[in-house]
Amino acid sequence: MLEQNVLIPFLKKFDAHPFLVKMDGKEYPIGDGEPSFTVVFHRPVPLGELMRSTSLALGEAYMRGDLEVEGDLCDALDHFLGQMGKFSTDQKALKKLLFPSVSKKNQEKEVRSHYDIGNDFYRLWLDGTMSYSCGYFLHEDDTLYQAQVNKVDYILKKLHLSQGMSLLDIGCGWGFLLIEAARKYGVRGTGITLSSEQESAFGERIRQEGLEDLLTVRRMDYRDLPSCQEKFDRAVSVGMVEHVGRGNYQEFMDCVSSALNPGGVFLLHFISALKEHPGDAWIKKYIFPGGVVPSLREIISCCAEDDFHVLDVENLRLHYSRTLRCWRKNYGKHLDEVRRMFDETFVRMWDLYLAACAATFHNGIIDLHQILMTKGIDNGLPMTRWY
């Protein structure tokens, strides 16, 4: 009864959308109107944990199975996470989690903790391109695969490529973008990643496609680009700057600038936010250690310092929400295989991650931006949005 007396009043803050709480055989309506979803507590969550980090407390309860959601999880999270401004976070107590070291060694460890889970795991629920970033749904009936092909095609068109150009992909993933660039445009491409799993898989794809003369993949930190002293005509970075860390954005842009020829074109594709925030404690502990979502204005401000002229800014937020729903659907089809790889806590954790991200893109807590820019002036580009 004590737990109910403190838990229910705490949850009543989140009354923007009505929902029902079930605990110990009793029902507690939150908000006015017909409940949109039901939260079942098999064990109550201590108030101290909720005050330290609402996100961690509820996320861990879900992972343990102490908390269940009746109804569509994505929709429930869409309603609930839209009120994240009411969450409690003790930044002092969570300092090491929210503000970790941005050293090369630590960031490599953080990146590998996520992307080196295993290629076999990612193959279960990504599409055939092995693209782990926002798709681009040109048509209502586009499949996930088609949306990822569309996305890469859209980016390559924005880069205004031509045969013989050189292209640098910072955070190249499993390499589909560079393979398409080499196939369709005849460019010479270099991809860099901190993930050994991605490096290995991309290298194998290069050999399978017979593109050894055009493509190279390296495991290296973006901060080592200046020492390489290589210059490229074009650069692209898709879903990587979120791992750079607040305070390192200018250095990231400096390093990109150092690798571009004058007049070179750079496309930056990244998850963004309206304002600066240290990040969500649960996501940082279990999914993306060290990950920080930059604000759009932070990145735009950094562009000017390296004489990057912004040509275009586009928000693809709803495309990412749909992409995540597709990933979650695929993930749900392969739960038996996932359970053979990992324990039930991991299975529930990853499902929560995919559903929560789909929700937060849908309700606008986070956005997805593409910024197209040139290093200095390039008057040879078309005057219209040619892509």
Side-chain angles (χ1 to χ4, degrees):
M1 183 61 69
L2 176 61
E3 292 87 350
Q4 295 167 358
N5 289 340
V6 295
L7 179 59
I8 300 304
F10 181 86
L11 292 174
K12 282 186 175 180
K13 295 189 300 182
F14 304 96
D15 59 356
H17 300 278
F19 65 99
L20 188 67
V21 173
K22 292 182 179 179
M23 186 165 51
D24 292 335
K26 296 183 179 180
E27 296 185 352
Y28 305 87
I30 307 293
D32 298 324
E34 188 68 22
S36 303
F37 58 96
T38 298
V39 180
V40 181
F41 285 93
H42 301 299
R43 288 181 59 197
V45 181
L47 180 63
E49 292 182 16
L50 289 165
M51 294 302 297
R52 183 170 181 265
S53 170
T54 305
S55 177
L56 265 179
L58 295 178
E60 290 177 341
Y62 186 86
M63 289 164 59
R64 293 190 302 264
D66 293 345
L67 180 162
E68 301 281 355
V69 174
E70 294 178 353
D72 185 278
L73 182 60
C74 282
D75 290 343
L77 290 170
D78 198 348
H79 293 316
F80 192 75
L81 296 180
Q83 305 173 75
M84 287 189 78
K86 301 176 184 178
F87 279 28
S88 297
T89 304
D90 186 340
Q91 291 194 11
K92 185 176 180 180
L94 299 171
K95 183 177 180 180
K96 289 185 178 180
L97 177 63
L98 296 176
F99 306 101
S101 166
V102 294
S103 68
K104 286 183 180 180
K105 182 177 181 181
N106 192 56
Q107 287 195 325
E108 179 178 1
K109 178 183 176 183
E110 291 170 341
V111 167
R112 293 186 66 176
S113 74
H114 185 89
Y115 296 96
D116 283 355
I117 289 174
N119 292 332
D120 290 342
F121 170 68
Y122 285 104
R123 286 191 189 99
L124 290 177
W125 50 275
L126 294 179
D127 68 290
T129 71
M130 287 292 285
S131 296
Y132 190 24
S133 57
C134 173
Y136 186 59
F137 293 87
L138 272 173
H139 309 100
E140 183 59 35
D141 60 350
D142 278 345
T143 63
L144 176 61
Y145 174 83
Q146 187 59 54
Q148 294 294 3
V149 172
N150 294 343
K151 183 269 299 296
V152 167
D153 184 57
Y154 196 39
I155 288 175
L156 297 181
K157 285 178 179 176
K158 285 187 178 187
L159 287 169
H160 205 55
L161 299 168
S162 60
Q163 188 165 357
M165 280 186 174
S166 54
L167 171 62
L168 170 67
D169 188 348
I170 305 167
C172 62
W174 288 274
F176 182 69
L177 185 148
L178 282 177
I179 288 173
E180 288 290 277
R183 281 176 180 164
K184 294 181 177 179
Y185 296 92
V187 303
R188 293 176 288 105
T190 297
I192 65 171
T193 177
L194 289 176
S195 166
S196 59
E197 289 278 307
Q198 290 180 343
E199 178 192 29
S200 174
F202 186 15
E204 180 59 30
R205 292 176 91 171
I206 291 171
R207 290 187 288 274
Q208 289 175 352
E209 297 289 338
L211 295 172
E212 295 95 330
D213 292 340
L214 291 177
L215 298 180
T216 302
V217 58
R218 301 174 188 165
R219 189 153 66 89
M220 65 177 286
D221 192 286
Y222 72 90
R223 284 166 284 199
D224 294 326
L225 285 170
S227 63
C228 292
Q229 298 185 329
E230 289 185 69
K231 298 290 184 180
F232 297 85
D233 301 307
R234 300 287 189 264
V236 64
S237 183
V238 178
M240 178 271 176
V241 77
E242 300 91 322
H243 299 287
V244 164
R246 179 155 287 121
N248 280 5
Y249 300 140
Q250 190 61 62
E251 183 176 9
F252 173 78
M253 296 301 294
D254 293 347
C255 290
V256 177
S257 177
S258 75
L260 269 178
N261 288 318
V265 179
F266 176 40
L267 184 139
L268 180 61
H269 170 122
F270 66 107
I271 299 170
S272 62
L274 281 176
K275 297 181 179 180
E276 299 72 35
H277 188 273
D280 177 76
W282 183 82
I283 287 284
K284 295 187 86 158
K285 182 174 181 178
Y286 292 103
I287 307 297
F288 290 113
V292 180
V293 175
S295 68
L296 178 62
R297 62 188 177 187
E298 282 180 293
I299 300 299
I300 294 291
S301 177
C302 292
C303 293
E305 298 305 313
D306 285 300
D307 197 28
F308 276 118
H309 292 248
V310 174
L311 303 180
D312 191 26
V313 179
E314 186 173 10
N315 191 331
L316 302 180
R317 174 178 61 84
L318 288 177
H319 291 269
Y320 215 165
S321 180
R322 183 168 172 182
T323 300
L324 280 148
R325 281 184 174 267
C326 289
W327 286 343
R328 183 168 181 251
K329 184 178 180 180
N330 288 348
Y331 181 78
K333 292 177 180 178
H334 295 281
L335 289 180
D336 289 342
E337 292 106 311
V338 177
R339 286 190 174 99
R340 286 195 287 269
M341 297 177 178
F342 306 101
D343 62 19
E344 191 64 24
T345 299
F346 179 95
V347 173
R348 293 177 64 83
M349 175 187 78
W350 209 264
D351 186 48
L352 180 61
Y353 151 59
L354 295 174
C357 287
T360 48
F361 278 109
H362 185 261
N363 62 32
I365 287 178
I366 48 178
D367 292 306
L368 190 288
H369 278 102
Q370 288 186 350
I371 305 177
L372 186 69
M373 62 194 90
T374 59
K375 181 182 175 182
I377 294 297
D378 183 348
N379 289 334
L381 295 173
M383 292 172 62
T384 58
R385 194 191 248 198
W386 63 96
Y387 45 84

